[in-house]
Amino acid sequence: MSTNPTVPNGAEDEEFRVFVALHSAALQASAIPPVYWRSLHHKITSEGDEENGEEKKKDNPGDEIRCKVVVTRESGLQASEPTSVFLVDHAWTYRVDHARQQLEQIPGLLPRMAALMGLDFHGEVPDPDTVELVMERMWKYNQTYQLSQGSPEDKVPVWYVMDEFGSQVRHSDQPTCSMAPFFYVQGQLAYTVLWPLQDLHEGDEVTRDYTYGEPDPLVRQCRLLPWIPSDLEEVSSVTAEPPDSFFENIARENKEQLPVEIQPYTVPKDKVYKVYSEMSQVTNNLSHPRFQLIEDEDEADIIWRYNHIKDYSKLSVERPHVLLNQFPCESIITVKDCLAAVARRVKGSPGPDWLPQTFNLQTELPQFIKHYQGEDNHWICKPWNLARGLDTHITNNLDYIIRQRESTPKVVCKYLEDPVLFNREEVGMVKFDIRYMLMLRSVQPLRLYAYNVFWLRFANRPFSLDHFDDYQKHFTVMNYAEGVELKQVHYDEFIPMFEKQYPQHPWKEVEGELFKAFKELFEAATSRPAPYGICPYPSSRAIYAVDLMLKWSRGQNDSASIKVERAEERLQICPVMHSQAEKNHTDSFKSCAKHVLPSFNFLESSKEIHTVQVQIAR
């Protein structure tokens, strides 16, 4: 079968040609056979919601799967017949952070979802208990897709529940049909497309593979746990640092060309550096007389890029003395799954004290499930390379976490159930996080500096271990949402307030523990050569933002002490100057740039840097 359908010539086929031009990539990605494309186009544009030729038959009343779908057409279905393709409507489409609100406010949605999921609810007024049950059970019915264009918010995965027909198509290891989401661009509508994988006779059941395309038998078993229980007796929950191939694959995906070895370059002390940058945070705030902004990158002494630098090899050969704002292979600390892997070098599995138990859902799903063991514990799922709390989920629902693997690649971390809270007089005891700015001056020897001005972010509602979809209770990033209060406290005002609330914990002691964690992380990240560690390149400098939270630790005498943990976006090291996630984070950076850029000496000692140095010996 060819990869593209034959498109006849003629004006009557112009609409179909446009349809194919717009959708061929999506159709091929969904593995919808080209033989069905013309009929699919006709049904979307002409027939809309149509009878599918199958019906639901009662099966195990009261169970979550209460029906099955069978073929009722006397002639059956022939896989080779171009019209053997069907559209399935979506009953509910949403993003997770809007699910509760929609169930509570959209008329008829809660009763429909409750009936579809086999829940005993017959009222019209939303019932909080039923809403909770639907939000728990919907992960057995949810499907997902992601838009490829738009803002970061637009690209957050969309979840949907198929209509009553589609939701009753059951799983089979030998499926008779396939189903895939399809977004019709011209109509801005999403459907699920169903087509047979084989000829079907009257009475044959329509089934699909819930883990279609999964080649690993163990991962397949894990992904089916929401529907088929399994104890995973032979699986260990121990996670170690990934093999070298893990980092080698990342280097290939990033397409970084490593630099050749160069010697450090000494520049006259009175030299004025020509700086090229595309970033307004730099161009609007760099006013120190030793730096001159220019528009021609080829003439620059310093290149401060927003986009990731790829060809270090060329730069090291042709322009070895041009200073760069990035290090080769720094993604091993700027991407969450790599950060967790590198941190295990500090103390082995499960990692250092400042790293919550973390699993990569793409490569460590069985280990996570074994560790979870059905306990009433709470976890936070985070995309590898997004920030601002986007597509981040907090839950103790194992089905919920397993299904997250089907959207964007994610890590899952133990949620901080006992964070150090801050008393906001007008609100109560809320979560907060801290952002430190670090400068990596060199890798060999390792020279790392911390800016002693830090930034604070606060939740807007009192903390409690419930309603995990309540963003203003469990998250602290408030500067991107409209109509949401952004609480700001300057660092030198925060310190006496913190010490008044926690007099047994002077801030200098807390900060000392934080710097110790920074030191351990960068020692681990530079302990191996590239691509397994950050590459030493004498012409690189980089500034990173470190977001972290504090957690209470109970010792044998049950006395409280503070330890550093990573939660939500915490201890997510992201290069402020060029991270996609930080592109719009201008307010705090402008303040930082005014102080940091003029005082960071790019060439020699740190004498002019008004920062606290993290002492690192190699």
Side-chain angles (χ1 to χ4, degrees):
M1 186 176 292
S2 63
T3 58
N4 291 291
T6 301
V7 182
N9 295 323
E12 69 277 7
D13 294 305
E14 181 61 27
E15 289 186 6
F16 179 60
R17 281 195 290 268
V18 172
F19 173 81
V20 171
L22 288 173
H23 301 95
S24 60
L27 292 164
Q28 292 175 7
S30 297
I32 300 175
V35 67
Y36 301 130
W37 291 7
R38 180 174 288 276
S39 182
L40 177 63
H41 169 252
H42 175 72
K43 292 186 178 187
I44 288 178
T45 57
S46 302
E47 299 180 19
D49 187 15
E50 61 182 33
E51 294 298 326
N52 291 313
E54 293 85 20
E55 67 179 24
K56 296 174 285 185
K57 293 194 174 182
K58 296 295 180 182
D59 183 50
N60 301 324
D63 290 347
E64 292 174 8
I65 301 296
R66 296 170 293 115
C67 306
K68 65 179 180 180
V69 179
V70 299
V71 176
T72 58
R73 183 183 297 166
E74 291 184 2
S75 59
L77 287 178
Q78 286 70 49
S80 61
E81 173 57 47
T83 60
S84 294
V85 61
F86 305 97
L87 295 177
V88 179
D89 283 335
H90 296 171
W92 182 26
T93 301
Y94 65 96
R95 287 188 167 92
V96 174
D97 54 344
H98 299 148
R100 183 184 301 275
Q101 179 183 13
Q102 292 181 5
L103 288 168
E104 292 174 344
Q105 297 181 5
I106 297 178
L109 178 60
L110 181 62
R112 184 178 183 183
M113 289 298 104
L116 186 149
M117 298 176 189
L119 299 174
D120 186 17
F121 175 72
H122 304 288
E124 292 297 330
V125 178
D127 171 63
D129 292 337
T130 305
V131 171
E132 288 295 337
L133 286 173
V134 168
M135 293 188 66
E136 177 183 348
R137 193 168 293 188
M138 67 188 185
W139 295 102
K140 297 182 186 295
Y141 295 86
N142 273 338
Q143 315 298 322
T144 187
Y145 63 86
Q146 182 182 17
L147 300 179
S148 60
Q149 297 180 344
S151 67
E153 289 82 0
D154 294 333
K155 295 179 181 179
V156 170
V158 175
W159 292 88
Y160 65 94
V161 176
M162 290 185 286
D163 65 13
E164 288 75 3
F165 169 82
S167 292
Q168 306 306 334
V169 176
R170 302 197 295 188
H171 168 76
S172 174
D173 291 334
Q174 290 81 40
T176 60
C177 294
S178 189
M179 301 179 75
F182 176 72
F183 188 78
Y184 178 48
V185 175
Q186 290 150 300
Q188 293 294 291
L189 293 172
Y191 301 91
T192 291
V193 179
L194 181 150
W195 67 95
L197 297 174
Q198 61 192 52
D199 292 344
L200 298 176
H201 302 289
E202 181 182 12
D204 287 348
E205 183 175 359
V206 174
T207 59
R208 66 184 180 93
D209 184 353
Y210 287 2
T211 61
Y212 176 77
E214 178 56 64
D216 187 309
L218 178 58
V219 174
R220 179 181 177 84
Q221 182 182 357
C222 293
R223 290 181 56 190
L224 285 172
L225 279 176
W227 307 277
I228 304 174
S230 177
D231 54 18
L232 303 179
E233 289 184 356
E234 299 180 357
V235 175
S236 170
S237 63
V238 176
T239 54
E241 182 182 345
D244 287 353
S245 59
F246 173 84
F247 299 100
E248 293 163 1
N249 289 335
I250 291 171
R252 280 193 292 270
E253 291 172 2
N254 290 341
K255 299 179 180 179
E256 283 190 17
Q257 303 296 318
L258 297 180
V260 301
E261 185 176 350
I262 65 171
Q263 296 300 316
Y265 178 56
T266 302
V267 178
K269 293 183 178 181
D270 58 351
K271 178 178 174 61
V272 175
Y273 298 94
K274 297 178 180 179
V275 180
Y276 171 82
S277 180
E278 306 148 335
M279 299 183 62
S280 60
Q281 295 99 323
V282 175
T283 58
N284 293 342
N285 293 282
L286 183 57
S287 57
H288 193 279
R290 290 200 62 188
F291 302 98
Q292 174 190 352
L293 292 167
I294 63 171
E295 296 184 357
D296 188 349
E297 182 176 354
D298 293 335
E299 296 181 3
D301 301 308
I302 298 173
I303 297 176
W304 203 306
R305 278 199 191 158
Y306 171 78
N307 294 320
H308 290 181
I309 297 171
K310 301 291 186 181
D311 198 348
Y312 291 94
S313 176
K314 181 178 180 180
L315 284 166
S316 65
V317 171
E318 299 180 359
R319 307 173 69 190
H321 307 311
V322 173
L323 298 172
L324 309 174
N325 70 315
Q326 303 170 35
F327 275 86
C329 299
E330 67 181 10
S331 62
I332 67 164
I333 59 170
T334 64
V335 181
K336 297 182 184 72
D337 63 316
C338 299
L339 172 63
V342 168
R344 291 173 187 163
R345 297 175 187 172
V346 176
K347 197 178 178 181
S349 181
D353 294 339
W354 44 262
L355 180 76
Q357 186 77 41
T358 302
F359 296 88
N360 184 332
L361 286 182
Q362 301 304 117
T363 61
E364 298 168 342
L365 179 63
Q367 292 89 337
F368 163 69
I369 294 172
K370 188 67 173 183
H371 180 85
Y372 182 95
Q373 295 179 334
E375 299 173 5
D376 183 17
N377 48 36
H378 302 88
W379 296 80
I380 181 165
C381 300
K382 300 176 283 188
W384 287 354
N385 54 359
L386 286 180
R388 297 162 40 189
L390 292 175
D391 195 24
T392 300
H393 310 260
I394 306 165
T395 183
N396 61 351
N397 184 337
L398 182 59
D399 293 351
Y400 186 165
I401 298 172
I402 292 172
R403 298 300 306 280
Q404 288 302 308
R405 192 180 185 277
E406 300 173 30
S407 59
T408 56
K410 290 184 174 66
V411 296
V412 57
C413 307
K414 190 70 175 67
Y415 187 57
L416 296 192
E417 296 167 325
D418 192 14
V420 176
L421 303 176
F422 184 82
N423 185 19
R424 290 181 57 180
E425 292 183 359
E426 71 281 17
V427 176
M429 301 297 286
V430 302
K431 292 176 63 174
F432 69 98
D433 79 341
I434 310 164
R435 165 165 289 189
Y436 274 89
M437 310 297 290
L438 304 182
M439 178 180 178
L440 182 59
R441 173 63 175 79
S442 70
V443 170
Q444 291 181 352
L446 180 55
R447 295 171 62 188
L448 180 69
Y449 300 87
Y451 188 40
N452 62 1
V453 174
F454 54 87
W455 286 264
L456 297 144
R457 298 182 294 191
F458 300 87
N460 288 334
R461 293 173 184 155
F463 175 77
S464 59
L465 279 173
D466 55 17
H467 287 109
F468 298 106
D469 55 327
D470 185 341
Y471 186 90
Q472 295 192 65
K473 173 185 288 191
H474 291 281
F475 294 84
T476 59
V477 185
M478 302 297 168
N479 49 319
Y480 296 98
E482 294 183 5
V484 174
E485 178 188 2
L486 173 62
K487 172 69 173 179
Q488 293 183 308
V489 177
H490 200 262
Y491 83 104
D492 57 0
E493 297 174 347
F494 168 81
I495 293 174
M497 296 168 72
F498 179 88
E499 293 181 333
K500 182 179 180 180
Q501 294 183 26
Y502 301 105
Q504 295 180 341
H505 302 285
W507 185 253
K508 281 299 180 184
E509 293 183 5
V510 176
E511 194 170 60
E513 291 298 312
L514 304 184
F515 291 167
K516 179 182 177 182
F518 302 158
K519 170 186 173 181
E520 290 180 346
L521 172 62
F522 277 82
E523 282 181 331
T526 58
S527 64
R528 297 192 63 195
Y532 319 106
I534 300 175
C535 180
Y537 185 55
S539 292
S540 284
R541 316 284 187 269
I543 297 177
Y544 302 95
V546 183
D547 296 338
L548 54 93
M549 292 190 73
L550 304 176
K551 173 185 180 295
W552 291 109
S553 176
R554 303 292 176 178
Q556 292 181 351
N557 58 1
D558 204 37
S559 62
S561 63
I562 296 177
K563 296 177 69 176
V564 181
E565 297 269 4
R566 181 167 69 95
E568 296 173 8
E569 295 179 86
R570 322 304 180 236
L571 220 61
Q572 167 196 311
I573 314 298
C574 46
V576 169
M577 296 306 186
H578 57 88
S579 169
Q580 291 284 345
E582 297 300 324
K583 182 177 180 181
N584 298 318
H585 193 54
T586 58
D587 292 340
S588 65
F589 183 75
K590 284 181 179 179
S591 175
C592 174
K594 291 177 180 178
H595 294 83
V596 176
L597 285 174
S599 57
F600 270 144
N601 187 321
F602 281 89
L603 289 177
E604 301 182 1
S605 70
S606 60
K607 294 178 181 179
E608 298 181 11
I609 303 177
H610 304 294
T611 63
V612 179
Q613 181 176 356
V614 182
Q615 299 296 327
I616 297 177
R618 289 182 67 87

